[in-house]
Coordinates of all heavy atoms in Angstrom, one line a residue:
F407 N 15.8 10.4 -1.7 CA 15.5 11.6 -2.5 C 15.3 12.8 -1.5 O 15.7 13.9 -1.8 CB 14.4 11.4 -3.4 CG 14.1 12.6 -4.3 CD1 15.0 12.9 -5.3 CD2 13.1 13.5 -4.1 CE1 14.9 14.1 -6.1 CE2 12.9 14.6 -4.8 CZ 13.8 14.9 -5.8
L408 N 14.5 12.6 -0.5 CA 14.2 13.6 0.5 C 15.5 14.2 1.1 O 15.7 15.4 1.2 CB 13.3 13.1 1.6 CG 12.9 14.0 2.7 CD1 12.2 15.2 2.2 CD2 12.0 13.2 3.7
K409 N 16.4 13.3 1.4 CA 17.7 13.7 2.0 C 18.5 14.5 1.0 O 19.0 15.6 1.3 CB 18.4 12.4 2.3 CG 19.6 12.6 3.2 CD 20.1 11.3 3.8 CE 21.5 11.4 4.3 NZ 22.5 11.0 3.3
Q410 N 18.5 14.0 -0.3 CA 19.2 14.7 -1.3 C 18.6 16.1 -1.5 O 19.4 17.1 -1.7 CB 18.9 13.9 -2.6 CG 20.1 13.5 -3.5 CD 19.5 12.8 -4.7 OE1 18.9 11.7 -4.5 NE2 19.8 13.3 -5.8
F411 N 17.3 16.2 -1.5 CA 16.6 17.5 -1.7 C 17.0 18.5 -0.6 O 17.3 19.7 -0.8 CB 15.1 17.3 -1.8 CG 14.3 18.6 -2.1 CD1 13.9 18.9 -3.4 CD2 14.0 19.4 -1.0 CE1 13.2 20.0 -3.6 CE2 13.2 20.6 -1.3 CZ 12.9 20.9 -2.6
L412 N 17.0 18.0 0.6 CA 17.2 18.8 1.8 C 18.7 19.3 1.8 O 19.0 20.4 2.3 CB 16.9 18.1 3.1 CG 15.4 18.0 3.3 CD1 15.0 17.0 4.4 CD2 14.7 19.4 3.6
E413 N 19.6 18.5 1.2 CA 21.0 18.9 1.1 C 21.2 19.8 -0.1 O 22.4 20.2 -0.3 CB 21.9 17.6 1.1 CG 21.9 16.9 2.4 CD 22.6 15.5 2.3 OE1 23.0 15.1 1.2 OE2 22.7 14.9 3.4
G414 N 20.2 20.0 -0.9 CA 20.4 20.8 -2.1 C 21.1 20.1 -3.2 O 21.6 20.7 -4.1
K415 N 21.1 18.8 -3.1 CA 21.9 18.0 -4.1 C 20.9 17.6 -5.3 O 20.8 16.4 -5.6 CB 22.5 16.8 -3.5 CG 23.7 17.2 -2.5 CD 24.3 16.0 -2.0 CE 25.4 16.4 -1.0 NZ 25.8 15.3 -0.1
V416 N 20.2 18.6 -5.8 CA 19.3 18.3 -6.9 C 19.5 19.5 -7.9 O 20.2 20.4 -7.6 CB 17.8 18.3 -6.4 CG1 17.5 17.1 -5.6 CG2 17.5 19.6 -5.5
V417 N 18.8 19.3 -9.0 CA 19.0 20.4 -10.0 C 18.5 21.7 -9.5 O 17.4 21.8 -8.8 CB 18.3 19.9 -11.4 CG1 16.8 19.8 -11.2 CG2 18.7 20.8 -12.5
F418 N 19.2 22.8 -9.7 CA 18.9 24.1 -9.2 C 19.1 24.2 -7.7 O 18.6 25.2 -7.1 CB 17.6 24.7 -9.7 CG 17.7 25.0 -11.2 CD1 17.2 24.0 -12.1 CD2 18.3 26.1 -11.7 CE1 17.3 24.3 -13.5 CE2 18.4 26.3 -13.0 CZ 17.9 25.4 -13.9
S419 N 19.7 23.2 -7.1 CA 20.2 23.3 -5.7 C 19.1 23.5 -4.7 O 18.0 23.0 -4.9 CB 21.3 24.3 -5.6 OG 22.4 24.0 -6.4
S420 N 19.4 24.3 -3.7 CA 18.5 24.3 -2.5 C 17.2 25.2 -2.7 O 17.3 26.3 -3.1 CB 19.3 24.9 -1.3 OG 18.4 25.4 -0.3
W421 N 16.1 24.6 -2.4 CA 14.8 25.3 -2.4 C 14.9 26.5 -1.5 O 14.5 27.6 -1.9 CB 13.7 24.4 -2.0 CG 12.3 25.0 -2.0 CD1 11.4 25.1 -3.0 CD2 11.7 25.7 -0.9 NE1 10.3 25.8 -2.7 CE2 10.4 26.2 -1.3 CE3 12.1 26.0 0.4 CZ2 9.6 26.9 -0.5 CZ3 11.2 26.8 1.2 CH2 10.0 27.2 0.7
F422 N 15.5 26.3 -0.3 CA 15.6 27.4 0.7 C 16.4 28.6 0.1 O 16.0 29.7 0.3 CB 16.2 26.9 2.0 CG 15.4 25.8 2.6 CD1 15.8 24.4 2.5 CD2 14.2 26.1 3.4 CE1 15.0 23.4 3.0 CE2 13.5 25.0 3.9 CZ 13.9 23.7 3.8
D423 N 17.5 28.3 -0.5 CA 18.4 29.3 -1.0 C 17.7 30.1 -2.1 O 17.8 31.3 -2.3 CB 19.7 28.7 -1.5 CG 20.6 28.2 -0.4 OD1 20.3 28.6 0.8 OD2 21.5 27.5 -0.7
H424 N 16.9 29.3 -2.9 CA 16.3 29.9 -4.1 C 15.3 31.0 -3.7 O 15.4 32.1 -4.1 CB 15.6 28.8 -4.9 CG 15.3 29.2 -6.3 ND1 14.2 29.9 -6.7 CD2 16.0 28.9 -7.5 CE1 14.2 30.1 -8.0 NE2 15.3 29.4 -8.5
I425 N 14.4 30.6 -2.8 CA 13.3 31.5 -2.4 C 13.9 32.7 -1.6 O 13.6 33.8 -1.7 CB 12.2 30.8 -1.6 CG1 11.1 31.9 -1.3 CG2 12.6 30.1 -0.4 CD1 9.8 31.3 -0.9
Q426 N 14.9 32.4 -0.7 CA 15.5 33.4 0.1 C 16.3 34.4 -0.8 O 16.2 35.6 -0.5 CB 16.3 32.9 1.2 CG 15.4 32.4 2.3 CD 16.1 31.6 3.4 OE1 17.2 31.1 3.2 NE2 15.5 31.4 4.5
G427 N 17.0 33.9 -1.7 CA 17.8 34.8 -2.6 C 16.8 35.8 -3.3 O 17.1 37.0 -3.3
W428 N 15.8 35.2 -3.9 CA 14.8 36.1 -4.6 C 14.1 37.0 -3.7 O 13.9 38.2 -4.0 CB 13.8 35.3 -5.4 CG 14.4 34.9 -6.7 CD1 15.0 33.7 -7.1 CD2 14.5 35.7 -7.9 NE1 15.5 33.7 -8.3 CE2 15.2 34.9 -8.9 CE3 14.1 37.0 -8.2 CZ2 15.4 35.4 -10.2 CZ3 14.3 37.5 -9.5 CH2 15.0 36.7 -10.5
Y429 N 13.6 36.5 -2.5 CA 12.8 37.4 -1.7 C 13.7 38.5 -1.0 O 13.2 39.6 -0.9 CB 12.1 36.5 -0.6 CG 11.0 37.4 0.0 CD1 9.8 37.5 -0.6 CD2 11.2 38.0 1.2 CE1 8.8 38.4 -0.1 CE2 10.2 38.8 1.8 CZ 9.0 39.0 1.1 OH 8.0 39.8 1.7
T430 N 14.9 38.1 -0.6 CA 15.7 39.1 0.1 C 16.0 40.3 -0.9 O 16.2 41.4 -0.4 CB 17.1 38.5 0.5 OG1 16.8 37.3 1.2 CG2 17.9 39.4 1.3
H431 N 16.1 40.0 -2.2 CA 16.5 41.0 -3.1 C 15.3 41.6 -3.9 O 15.4 42.2 -4.9 CB 17.5 40.5 -4.1 CG 18.8 40.1 -3.4 ND1 19.8 41.1 -3.2 CD2 19.3 39.0 -2.9 CE1 20.8 40.5 -2.5 NE2 20.5 39.2 -2.4
K432 N 14.1 41.4 -3.3 CA 12.9 41.7 -4.1 C 12.8 43.2 -4.5 O 12.2 43.5 -5.5 CB 11.6 41.3 -3.3 CG 11.4 42.1 -2.0 CD 10.1 41.5 -1.3 CE 9.7 42.3 -0.1 NZ 10.8 42.8 0.7
D433 N 13.4 44.1 -3.7 CA 13.3 45.5 -4.0 C 14.1 45.9 -5.2 O 13.9 47.0 -5.7 CB 13.7 46.3 -2.8 CG 12.8 46.1 -1.6 OD1 11.6 45.7 -1.8 OD2 13.2 46.3 -0.4
E434 N 14.9 45.0 -5.7 CA 15.7 45.4 -6.9 C 14.8 45.1 -8.2 O 15.2 45.5 -9.3 CB 16.9 44.5 -7.0 CG 17.9 44.8 -5.9 CD 19.0 43.7 -5.8 OE1 19.3 43.0 -6.8 OE2 19.5 43.5 -4.6
F435 N 13.7 44.5 -8.0 CA 12.9 44.0 -9.2 C 11.5 44.7 -9.2 O 11.0 45.0 -8.1 CB 12.7 42.5 -9.2 CG 14.0 41.7 -9.2 CD1 14.6 41.3 -8.1 CD2 14.6 41.5 -10.4 CE1 15.8 40.6 -8.1 CE2 15.8 40.7 -10.5 CZ 16.4 40.3 -9.3
N436 N 10.9 44.7 -10.3 CA 9.5 44.8 -10.5 C 8.9 43.4 -10.3 O 8.9 42.6 -11.2 CB 9.2 45.2 -12.0 CG 8.9 46.6 -12.1 OD1 8.2 47.2 -11.2 ND2 9.2 47.2 -13.2
I437 N 8.5 43.1 -9.1 CA 8.2 41.7 -8.9 C 6.9 41.4 -8.2 O 6.5 42.2 -7.3 CB 9.4 41.0 -8.1 CG1 9.4 39.5 -8.0 CG2 9.5 41.6 -6.7 CD1 10.7 38.8 -7.6
L438 N 6.3 40.3 -8.6 CA 5.0 39.9 -7.9 C 5.3 38.5 -7.4 O 5.8 37.6 -8.1 CB 3.9 39.8 -9.0 CG 2.6 39.1 -8.5 CD1 1.8 40.1 -7.6 CD2 1.7 38.8 -9.7
F439 N 5.0 38.2 -6.1 CA 5.0 36.9 -5.6 C 3.6 36.3 -5.6 O 2.7 37.0 -5.2 CB 5.6 36.9 -4.2 CG 7.1 37.2 -4.1 CD1 7.6 38.5 -4.1 CD2 8.0 36.1 -4.1 CE1 8.9 38.7 -4.1 CE2 9.4 36.4 -4.1 CZ 9.8 37.7 -4.1
I440 N 3.6 35.1 -6.0 CA 2.2 34.4 -6.1 C 2.5 32.9 -5.7 O 3.6 32.4 -6.0 CB 1.6 34.6 -7.4 CG1 0.1 34.2 -7.4 CG2 2.3 33.8 -8.5 CD1 -0.7 34.7 -8.5
T441 N 1.5 32.3 -5.1 CA 1.7 30.9 -4.7 C 0.9 30.0 -5.6 O -0.2 30.3 -6.1 CB 1.4 30.6 -3.3 OG1 0.0 30.8 -3.1 CG2 2.2 31.4 -2.3
Y442 N 1.5 28.8 -5.8 CA 0.8 27.7 -6.6 C -0.6 27.5 -5.9 O -1.6 27.3 -6.6 CB 1.7 26.4 -6.5 CG 1.1 25.2 -7.1 CD1 1.5 24.8 -8.4 CD2 0.2 24.4 -6.4 CE1 0.9 23.6 -9.0 CE2 -0.3 23.2 -7.0 CZ 0.0 22.9 -8.3 OH -0.5 21.7 -8.8
E443 N -0.5 27.5 -4.6 CA -1.7 27.1 -3.8 C -2.9 28.2 -4.0 O -4.0 27.8 -4.2 CB -1.4 27.0 -2.3 CG -0.6 25.8 -1.9 CD 0.9 25.9 -2.4 OE1 1.4 27.0 -2.6 OE2 1.5 24.8 -2.4
E444 N -2.5 29.5 -4.1 CA -3.6 30.4 -4.4 C -4.1 30.3 -5.8 O -5.3 30.5 -6.1 CB -3.2 31.9 -4.0 CG -2.1 32.5 -4.8 CD -1.7 33.9 -4.4 OE1 -2.5 34.8 -4.5 OE2 -0.6 34.1 -3.9
M445 N -3.2 30.0 -6.7 CA -3.6 29.7 -8.1 C -4.6 28.6 -8.2 O -5.6 28.6 -8.9 CB -2.4 29.5 -9.0 CG -1.7 30.8 -9.3 SD 0.0 30.7 -10.0 CE -0.1 29.4 -11.2
K446 N -4.3 27.6 -7.4 CA -5.1 26.3 -7.4 C -6.5 26.6 -6.8 O -7.5 26.2 -7.2 CB -4.3 25.2 -6.7 CG -4.9 23.9 -6.8 CD -4.8 23.2 -8.1 CE -5.8 22.1 -8.2 NZ -5.8 21.5 -9.6
Q447 N -6.4 27.4 -5.7 CA -7.7 27.6 -4.9 C -8.6 28.6 -5.6 O -9.8 28.5 -5.5 CB -7.3 28.0 -3.5 CG -6.9 26.9 -2.6 CD -6.3 27.3 -1.3 OE1 -6.1 28.5 -1.0 NE2 -6.0 26.3 -0.5
D448 N -8.0 29.6 -6.3 CA -8.9 30.6 -7.0 C -8.1 31.1 -8.2 O -7.5 32.1 -8.2 CB -9.2 31.7 -6.0 CG -10.2 32.7 -6.6 OD1 -10.5 32.6 -7.8 OD2 -10.7 33.5 -5.8
L449 N -8.2 30.3 -9.3 CA -7.5 30.6 -10.5 C -7.9 31.9 -11.1 O -7.0 32.7 -11.6 CB -7.6 29.4 -11.5 CG -6.8 29.5 -12.8 CD1 -5.3 29.7 -12.5 CD2 -7.0 28.2 -13.6
R450 N -9.2 32.2 -11.1 CA -9.7 33.4 -11.7 C -9.1 34.7 -11.0 O -8.5 35.6 -11.7 CB -11.2 33.5 -11.6 CG -11.8 34.5 -12.5 CD -13.4 34.4 -12.4 NE -14.0 35.0 -13.5 CZ -14.2 36.3 -13.5 NH1 -13.8 37.1 -12.5 NH2 -14.7 36.9 -14.6
T451 N -9.1 34.7 -9.7 CA -8.6 35.8 -8.9 C -7.1 35.9 -9.1 O -6.5 37.0 -9.3 CB -8.9 35.7 -7.4 OG1 -10.3 35.6 -7.3 CG2 -8.4 36.9 -6.6
S452 N -6.4 34.8 -9.2 CA -4.9 34.8 -9.4 C -4.6 35.3 -10.8 O -3.6 36.1 -10.9 CB -4.4 33.4 -9.3 OG -4.7 32.8 -8.0
I453 N -5.3 34.9 -11.8 CA -5.0 35.5 -13.1 C -5.3 37.0 -13.2 O -4.6 37.7 -13.8 CB -5.8 34.6 -14.2 CG1 -5.2 33.2 -14.3 CG2 -5.7 35.3 -15.6 CD1 -5.9 32.3 -15.2
Q454 N -6.4 37.4 -12.5 CA -6.7 38.8 -12.5 C -5.5 39.6 -11.8 O -5.1 40.6 -12.2 CB -8.0 39.0 -11.7 CG -8.5 40.5 -11.6 CD -8.7 41.1 -13.0 OE1 -9.5 40.6 -13.8 NE2 -7.9 42.1 -13.4
K455 N -5.0 39.0 -10.7 CA -3.9 39.6 -10.0 C -2.6 39.7 -10.9 O -2.0 40.7 -10.9 CB -3.5 38.7 -8.8 CG -2.5 39.2 -7.8 CD -2.5 38.2 -6.6 CE -1.4 38.4 -5.7 NZ -1.4 37.5 -4.5
I456 N -2.4 38.7 -11.7 CA -1.3 38.7 -12.6 C -1.5 39.8 -13.7 O -0.6 40.6 -14.1 CB -1.0 37.3 -13.3 CG1 -0.6 36.4 -12.2 CG2 0.0 37.4 -14.4 CD1 -0.5 34.9 -12.6
C457 N -2.8 39.9 -14.2 CA -3.1 40.9 -15.2 C -2.9 42.3 -14.6 O -2.4 43.2 -15.3 CB -4.6 40.8 -15.6 SG -4.9 39.4 -16.7
D458 N -3.3 42.5 -13.4 CA -3.2 43.8 -12.8 C -1.7 44.2 -12.7 O -1.3 45.3 -13.0 CB -3.8 43.9 -11.3 CG -5.3 43.7 -11.3 OD1 -5.9 43.9 -12.4 OD2 -5.9 43.4 -10.3
F459 N -0.9 43.2 -12.3 CA 0.6 43.4 -12.2 C 1.1 43.8 -13.6 O 2.0 44.6 -13.7 CB 1.2 42.2 -11.6 CG 2.7 42.3 -11.6 CD1 3.4 43.2 -10.8 CD2 3.5 41.4 -12.4 CE1 4.8 43.2 -10.8 CE2 4.9 41.4 -12.4 CZ 5.5 42.4 -11.6
L460 N 0.7 43.1 -14.6 CA 1.2 43.3 -16.0 C 0.5 44.5 -16.7 O 0.9 44.9 -17.8 CB 1.0 42.1 -16.8 CG 1.7 40.8 -16.4 CD1 1.4 39.6 -17.3 CD2 3.2 41.0 -16.3

Side-chain angles (χ1 to χ4, degrees):
F407 182 72
L408 176 59
K409 191 165 164 270
Q410 232 179 298
F411 185 95
L412 288 168
E413 289 170 356
K415 292 182 179 161
V416 287
V417 66
F418 290 97
S419 299
S420 158
W421 180 89
F422 299 100
D423 292 345
H424 201 279
I425 185 169
Q426 281 169 342
W428 276 97
Y429 195 80
T430 309
H431 296 275
K432 67 182 187 320
D433 295 339
E434 296 166 29
F435 300 94
N436 256 326
I437 193 164
L438 171 74
F439 286 87
I440 193 161
T441 63
Y442 176 100
E443 289 73 20
E444 68 183 291
M445 284 166 41
K446 188 72 197 174
Q447 282 168 354
D448 187 346
L449 186 54
R450 195 175 196 280
T451 302
S452 301
I453 292 177
Q454 183 59 61
K455 186 172 172 181
I456 294 169
C457 285
D458 292 344
F459 174 66
L460 298 177

